[in-house]
Amino acid sequence: MISTSQILTIHNHDRELAGLTYVYPVLSRRAGGVSIGINLNPNNACNWHCAYCQVPNLVRGKAPEIDLAQLESELRGFLNALVHGDWLEHNAPEGLREIRDIAFSGNGEPTSAAVFPEAVALVARLHDEFGLGAGVPVRLITNGSLMAQARVQEGVSLLAAANGEVWFKVDGGDVDAIERINGVRLEPEAISRHLALCAARCPTWVQTCMFRWDGELPSRHDIDAYLEVLTAAGIENLQGVLLYGIARESRQPEASHLSALRLDELEEIAARIKEKGLTVRVSP
């Protein structure tokens, strides 16, 4: 049974709106319409702890065992309601009643699921079965931390074969910034290596969240270090950067440190990124 108790908004990404375990709808600013989310982390477990994360009760860990039969049943039923039913008419705002993508995102790092490649193949098959076409891509939204693993690379390659794309999270450019923003102690060179691995296998956009920390803008050093990460991965291999701000309140203890950037402040950062020859899409 597919249900939604309220009209979708960009401010509410509640994974339980449709009453399902693995499938949920969101109104995506960056996708520009309704995104069908695939949540392989219903246990709220992630190997990172991003300061801006909206997942309540976030814990460290990985995806649980995934019931692929249940995932297929939920996605098939939801796609049927959207494509052949009137779900969009009743639950999405006028002008945004379009399916824009199917996105592996959810409440943690999706590539931590042991059956990640099998899940990608399943979603790609149903995408074709419902005739969604190239205008509704399958996307992976990932922190990229597991990209060196063979099974993750297999899933990313399957995504490419389905004309999909990856949105790869890069928020900081030095060890301290990465730890403060993403909650992991990680060398920036590792992010560059994983980003390069990903971009070699599937069209890849860098997804970056920028904000004020304790009222302070990202510094020139912060932006320079961030750009060095992208440069080391190979600018020419990237589709571009999805630069966005904070639209929904963080559910993490670090929330009190964060405040949104103005559009003009995001545009100034975008201009720096464009100097490197990258396409930038800005979502305040």
Side-chain angles (χ1 to χ4, degrees):
M1 177 68 179
I2 310 299
S3 63
T4 300
S5 58
Q6 55 189 295
I7 296 293
L8 296 178
T9 76
I10 64 169
H11 302 290
N12 185 0
H13 282 196
D14 185 348
R15 312 304 194 217
E16 298 180 1
L17 280 177
L20 304 172
T21 299
Y22 299 119
V23 179
Y24 64 96
V26 297
L27 198 61
S28 171
R29 291 173 292 157
R30 280 157 284 156
V34 175
S35 175
I36 302 171
I38 305 296
N39 183 14
L40 299 184
N41 302 80
N43 58 348
N44 294 0
C46 189
N47 60 347
W48 283 21
H49 177 96
C50 295
Y52 53 80
C53 182
Q54 296 99 30
V55 175
N57 304 312
L58 184 69
V59 298
R60 295 278 186 175
K62 62 182 181 179
E65 183 176 344
I66 303 299
D67 185 335
L68 289 172
Q70 181 179 347
L71 171 59
E72 177 167 1
S73 175
E74 289 186 3
L75 183 56
R76 185 184 299 279
F78 196 53
L79 285 173
N80 189 62
L82 270 65
V83 174
H84 302 303
D86 59 1
W87 191 94
L88 286 169
E89 180 181 348
H90 290 294
N91 296 288
E94 189 173 355
L96 293 172
R97 292 170 181 164
E98 289 187 70
I99 305 172
R100 300 302 299 180
D101 67 9
I102 302 177
F104 285 91
S105 181
N107 289 10
E109 174 52 40
T111 65
S112 68
V115 294
F116 172 66
E118 290 83 357
V120 172
L122 185 161
V123 169
R125 174 166 54 81
L126 290 183
H127 174 280
D128 291 346
E129 181 180 320
F130 280 84
L132 295 180
V136 183
V138 180
R139 292 185 169 116
L140 165 65
I141 301 175
T142 178
N143 63 32
S145 60
L146 305 177
M147 201 58 62
Q149 296 184 8
R151 63 178 183 80
V152 176
Q153 293 179 20
E154 179 188 355
V156 169
S157 295
L158 287 170
L159 189 67
N163 296 313
E165 63 183 21
V166 177
W167 291 3
F168 189 112
K169 181 192 301 293
V170 181
D171 297 318
D174 63 31
V175 171
D176 290 340
I178 294 164
E179 185 171 28
R180 173 168 50 87
I181 298 169
N182 303 125
V184 288
R185 193 76 178 170
L186 187 64
E187 294 293 333
E189 292 79 10
I191 295 178
S192 296
R193 287 196 304 272
H194 289 175
L195 179 55
L197 282 171
C198 186
R201 288 163 175 77
C202 187
T204 299
W205 288 82
V206 172
Q207 177 181 257
T208 300
C209 186
M210 293 277 182
F211 42 82
R212 291 177 181 269
W213 187 283
D214 291 337
E216 296 294 323
L217 287 164
S219 68
R220 175 166 286 276
H221 166 77
D222 291 334
I223 304 303
D224 287 345
Y226 163 82
L227 291 173
E228 287 175 10
V229 170
L230 305 193
T231 300
I235 295 289
E236 68 281 0
N237 298 321
L238 304 175
Q239 301 299 302
V241 173
L242 304 169
L243 179 64
Y244 68 106
I246 297 174
R248 298 177 304 280
E249 184 178 357
S250 167
R251 304 293 291 273
Q252 308 313 313
E254 296 84 359
S256 62
H257 295 286
L258 313 181
S259 56
L261 296 175
R262 300 190 309 267
L263 176 58
D264 64 296
E265 292 169 337
L266 282 169
E267 292 285 6
E268 287 182 15
I269 296 170
R272 292 283 316 280
I273 300 170
K274 289 175 182 177
E275 290 173 0
K276 292 292 185 179
L278 284 161
T279 297
V280 184
R281 298 177 183 168
V282 178
S283 301

